[in-house]
Amino acid sequence: MFRLIAYAPDGVRRFPLDRGTTMIGSREENDICLPYTGVAQSHAQLSYDGEKLRIEDLGSRKGVLVGGRRVRDSILEILDEIRLGSVTLLVEEVAERDLEAPPPVRAAETEVVSAAERASRITPQVMLDHLAEISDWVLADVESRTPLESLVGKLLNDFGGGALFLLHGELAEEPGIKFVSVSNAAWLGSGEELLAQVRERLGDLEVSPESEEIDGEREGAFSGTLGGEPSWVGFHVFRAVERHYLLIVALPSFEEGGWSPVSSLRALGHLLVLGLVHHVGWYEPILPGRQAQKELTLDPALVVGESATMKAVLDQLRVAADPDIHVLMRGEPGSGLQMLARSLHLSSSRRHGPFVSASCSGAQPAAIEADLFGAEVAGKEGPVRREGKLVLADGGTLYLQGIEKLPHRIQDRVHRFLRSGEVEPGGTSEAIRVNVRIIATAREPLEPLAGRDLFRVDLAYQLSRFTIDVPALRQRREDLPLLIQSYVNRFCHETGKRMRGITVKAMSALLAYDFPGNLEELENISRQLVYLCPPGQPLDLSQLPDKVRLSTIQAAARVDSTSDLDLDHLVGATERAAIREALRRCHGNKSQAARLLGLSRNGLALKMQRRGLSG
C-alpha cells in the first residue's frame, strides 16, 4: 500500500491511497484537499491499480514537479518527491495495518474539532498525570532533550488551548519572564495584558475581608481576557529557591464545573521553577521527544523549538538522512541553514567523514574554482598543489552556501563532477575519484533561475533531488521565547552575570520584531542585552535597539489575513503603542509627548483616557 506524506506550511499530514483514482487540489470536494498557496483547484490526479501508482497533471500546462523533473504523466516510485505549490508530497510504502486515514478537511476545521476534543479531556486525574510527567522530567530526566515547552504544551492542549507565563520578581516592580508556553502564537504578546489583570485582581483582594495570605503565597482565579477574548485566568504568587515568582495561566476554552485547577497551579509553579533550575546550563539540541533523539543527531548549537514548521523540517531531515542523495536547502541567510546541514551530516552514514564548507559567491570565479577543485601552481622546489574542498570532503559532506550565485562556467565543472565523481585540479590533467555528498543552500528556487538561463537546468535537478524549505524566524514566532531564553542563558554563563529574566514589555517588543537577520540577528541582540543589563535586574525595553522598540507600533498597525478587522480596535492598538513610545522617549513628560505626537496636552489626555492609559 502507498501513502502520501504532505509537508504543508501548517504541518505534516498523511493520506492513504486506495485503489482507483484520487483527486488532489485546493477545493474541499477533492479526495485530498490542500488549501495552500500555489495549489490549483484541481491540481493532479493519482491512479493506483494495486501495483503501479501514476500521477497526471491537471492544474498547469508545464506539468508537476516529480523528483525535480516536470512531467505531465508519470509512474511514481517510493520516496518520489512531488511539488504542488508550497506543498511537498512524498510517496511512502506502508503496511495496510499502519494506515490511519485523516478526514479530508481543511486545516482550520481540524483545529476547531481537535480543540473541542482536547477541552473535554481535562479531569483531575489527567491533571495529576501531567504533574507526574513534569515531576519526572524535573527530578529524574536530567539529560533529556525533551523541552519543557513540549510538556507544558501538552497540558495546555488538554485544556483546549491557552497561555502560561512564569514571571520572576516582585509584583510592585517590573517582573521578568522566565518561561512562557502558548498553544497559539498570537498569544505570545499577551503577557502585559494578563499581568495587568492579575495586578488589578490582587488590588481588589487587598481590601477584601475574605483575603487570605499563607506564607506570602497568593492564588486565585477570575474571568478575564486573553488576546481580547473571554478566558478563565488563574494565578499563583509564591516564593521558590529564595525568590519571588508569579504563575499566570489563561484558558479560553475551560469552564469551572465541579473542579477547579487553582490548587494544581501551586504544584505546577514550583515544578516549573525547580525544572528550570535543575536543567540550567544544558544546551543540548532540543527535539520533540526521545524517539526523535534516537533518529537524529543535531548540531549542538541548534535550538529547534516546538513550532509546526520546524517539526516539519525535522521530519524532512529524517527522510533525507538515509538515502545518500544530494540535498538543496532553501531559506534566508541567518536562518540556521549550516547548522541544519551539519545535523543532516551527523545523522547520516557519513557522520564519521569530514564536513567541509565552501561559498559560491563573494570572490572571483577563478578563486571559487580553485577553492572547490584545487589547483597546482609552480613553486621554487617544483609544483605545489592546493587541495580543493571536494577532495577534502571525500567520504563526507560538502556544504555549498549560496549555490544560486555559482558562476556559470563553474556550474559546468560541478555538473561533470556529479556525473563522473572525478575531480580535476586546475593546472593538471590528473583525475581524482572522490565520494562526496553535497548539501547546497539557496535563497530562492533554482527552477526560475534555470528558466532565465542563469542556472543549468540539469545541475538544478541533480542538486535538488531532495529539497528542504527552512522557515525564517518571523515564520516561527512561537519559538522566539525559547530561543531568546537560550541565548540569554548562554551569554549569562559566558559573562558570569545573573539576570532576573526579561520584562514583559521587552519580550512583547522582541516578539513583534520581524528579525530580517534571523537567528544571527537575534543572537547579536541577546548578547547586547546581557552586556548592557545591570546584574540582578531584568532585561528591559530601554536596552533594546530602536528598530526593535518601534516594532510594537508597527505590529499594532500590521493587518494580515489573521487580523481582527474591527477598525476601532486596530486604530486603538496603534494609538496605544504610539502614546507609550512617546511617553517613553519624553521620560513621562506629557507636554513634550503631546508635541511629539502632534497633539495638544488636553488632546493627549483625552486619548489616554479613551484608550485606558494611565500616567
Side-chain angles (χ1 to χ4, degrees):
M1 295 290 291
F2 289 104
R3 178 168 64 181
L4 285 183
I5 305 177
Y7 297 95
D10 57 356
V12 180
R13 302 170 66 186
R14 292 172 171 82
F15 302 94
L17 299 177
D18 297 323
R19 291 175 184 261
T21 59
T22 302
M23 297 294 296
I24 304 177
S26 59
R27 290 189 306 180
E28 294 183 0
E29 294 78 11
N30 290 298
D31 301 305
I32 297 179
C33 177
L34 300 174
Y36 307 107
T37 304
V39 181
Q41 291 186 349
S42 296
H43 202 119
Q45 176 178 285
L46 294 173
S47 303
Y48 179 48
D49 60 4
E51 294 183 1
K52 293 183 179 180
L53 179 64
R54 179 183 296 273
I55 186 168
E56 179 183 356
D57 175 43
L58 302 176
S60 69
R61 298 178 181 177
K62 298 181 179 179
V64 294
L65 276 172
V66 178
R69 297 180 298 107
R70 286 202 174 274
V71 298
R72 295 300 305 273
D73 189 357
S74 176
I75 299 294
L76 297 177
E77 303 291 342
I78 299 171
L79 295 184
D80 270 352
E81 179 192 280
I82 308 163
R83 293 284 299 185
L84 302 182
S86 59
V87 182
T88 299
L89 299 171
L90 198 69
V91 180
E92 179 187 42
E93 185 176 29
V94 293
E96 192 167 349
R97 63 179 179 275
D98 295 332
L99 292 176
E100 296 179 3
V105 296
R106 290 182 175 271
E109 295 172 351
T110 304
E111 291 171 3
V112 171
V113 173
S114 60
E117 292 174 350
R118 286 195 298 266
S120 66
R121 284 211 301 265
I122 194 66
T123 63
Q125 182 58 50
V126 172
M127 186 70 189
L128 286 175
D129 291 341
H130 282 292
L131 292 177
E133 186 178 12
I134 296 174
S135 176
D136 179 68
W137 179 84
V138 170
L139 301 175
D141 204 2
V142 293
E143 296 186 10
S144 172
R145 296 178 185 180
T146 301
L148 185 57
E149 284 76 9
S150 177
L151 299 176
V152 176
K154 289 163 57 179
L155 171 62
L156 292 176
N157 286 338
D158 275 348
F159 274 103
L164 180 147
F165 287 83
L166 178 65
L167 306 177
H168 169 219
E170 295 277 4
L171 271 177
E173 302 173 0
E174 193 68 36
I177 295 178
K178 293 296 291 182
F179 177 81
V180 57
S181 179
V182 296
S183 58
N184 185 336
W187 295 333
L188 282 170
S190 59
E192 190 172 359
E193 170 194 6
L194 293 173
L195 180 59
Q197 294 177 61
V198 171
R199 279 175 167 161
E200 181 180 358
R201 177 68 174 178
L202 286 172
D204 294 340
L205 290 175
E206 292 291 345
V207 297
S208 170
E210 300 175 359
S211 167
E212 184 179 358
E213 181 173 343
I214 302 175
D215 296 331
E217 297 195 3
R218 305 293 296 274
E219 62 185 33
F222 56 91
S223 297
T225 59
L226 175 62
E229 298 297 327
S231 174
W232 181 93
V233 180
F235 66 91
H236 179 49
V237 183
F238 63 102
R239 283 179 59 88
V241 290
E242 301 181 355
R243 296 182 183 181
H244 294 274
Y245 291 93
L246 167 63
L247 177 69
I248 307 176
V249 179
L251 308 169
S253 301
F254 176 74
E255 295 182 0
E256 282 193 20
W259 170 72
S260 171
V262 170
S263 58
S264 302
L265 297 183
R266 187 184 311 131
L268 179 61
H270 285 275
L271 284 174
L272 293 180
V273 172
L274 290 175
L276 293 172
V277 171
H278 200 189
H279 289 256
V280 71
W282 286 89
Y283 297 108
E284 297 293 335
I286 295 179
L287 295 171
R290 289 185 175 275
Q291 186 61 33
Q293 177 185 345
K294 296 176 183 177
E295 297 173 358
L296 287 175
T297 302
L298 297 193
D299 186 297
L302 180 64
V303 179
V304 175
E306 286 294 300
S307 64
T309 52
M310 284 308 295
K311 287 183 178 180
V313 171
L314 289 181
D315 286 337
Q316 290 179 297
L317 286 178
R318 293 188 191 97
V319 174
D322 290 334
D324 200 15
I325 58 175
H326 306 306
V327 175
L328 177 67
M329 291 186 176
R330 297 191 303 221
E332 296 180 5
S335 54
L337 295 171
Q338 185 163 356
M339 290 185 290
L340 289 168
R342 188 184 297 276
S343 302
L344 184 56
H345 167 75
L346 294 173
S347 303
S348 71
S349 58
R350 296 177 176 268
R351 66 178 65 90
H352 301 297
F355 179 83
V356 180
S357 301
S359 177
C360 299
S361 62
Q364 294 295 323
I368 298 174
E369 187 173 14
D371 185 51
L372 290 177
F373 293 91
E376 189 169 282
V377 297
K380 292 182 179 180
E381 300 179 358
V384 178
R385 174 176 293 182
R386 173 192 171 187
E387 298 287 7
K389 296 288 181 65
L390 284 167
V391 174
L392 294 176
D394 187 21
T397 303
L398 176 63
Y399 172 71
L400 287 180
Q401 182 178 3
I403 192 68
E404 75 275 17
K405 302 294 185 182
L406 190 67
H408 209 281
R409 82 177 197 194
I410 307 178
Q411 293 178 26
D412 298 338
R413 294 202 63 183
V414 173
H415 177 255
R416 287 199 301 272
F417 161 72
L418 293 177
R419 292 184 66 88
S420 66
E422 295 181 344
V423 176
E424 298 179 6
T428 72
S429 59
E430 179 186 358
I432 305 172
R433 177 164 288 277
V434 295
N435 179 14
V436 175
R437 181 189 199 182
I438 292 180
I439 301 177
T441 67
R443 186 167 187 168
E444 55 185 321
L446 299 181
E447 289 83 359
L449 296 177
R452 302 198 302 269
D453 293 329
L454 299 176
F455 203 89
R456 285 189 60 136
V457 177
D458 46 7
L459 179 58
Y461 289 153
Q462 286 184 314
L463 291 175
S464 57
R465 290 177 178 174
F466 194 96
T467 303
I468 299 176
D469 289 316
V470 180
L473 195 51
R474 62 182 173 276
Q475 296 170 324
R476 42 181 294 220
R477 292 184 186 275
E478 54 266 52
D479 290 336
L480 271 172
L482 172 63
L483 291 166
I484 293 169
Q485 192 65 55
S486 176
Y487 283 131
V488 168
N489 283 347
R490 181 193 303 174
F491 298 130
C492 283
H493 280 281
E494 290 180 2
T495 59
K497 281 187 176 181
R498 295 186 68 178
M499 302 287 106
R500 212 176 67 203
I502 180 169
T503 65
V504 174
K505 293 181 179 178
M507 179 67 83
S508 297
L510 286 168
L511 294 174
Y513 184 56
D514 276 344
F515 292 99
N518 292 297
L519 291 173
E520 293 181 4
E521 184 177 13
L522 175 59
E523 183 176 359
N524 286 338
I525 291 175
S526 301
R527 182 187 289 108
Q528 176 181 324
L529 282 174
V530 173
Y531 288 170
L532 293 177
C533 183
Q537 297 297 316
L539 305 173
D540 196 15
L541 186 67
S542 61
Q543 294 148 6
L544 290 171
D546 289 340
K547 60 183 180 182
V548 181
R549 286 201 297 267
L550 293 175
S551 61
T552 54
I553 300 178
Q554 297 166 355
R558 186 184 297 134
V559 180
D560 54 30
S561 60
T562 62
S563 299
D564 179 5
L565 295 181
D566 182 85
L567 193 58
D568 185 64
H569 177 76
L570 290 172
V571 173
T574 306
E575 285 188 348
R576 279 192 292 270
I579 291 171
R580 288 194 186 103
E581 176 63 18
L583 289 171
R584 186 197 65 79
R585 293 188 188 183
C586 300
H587 306 288
N589 188 308
K590 294 182 181 178
S591 297
Q592 294 179 10
R595 284 195 294 271
L596 192 62
L597 293 167
L599 300 170
S600 66
R601 197 180 191 285
N602 288 338
L604 175 60
L606 289 173
K607 282 191 176 293
M608 291 179 64
Q609 182 179 5
R610 181 185 178 191
R611 300 304 178 191
L613 297 175
S614 60

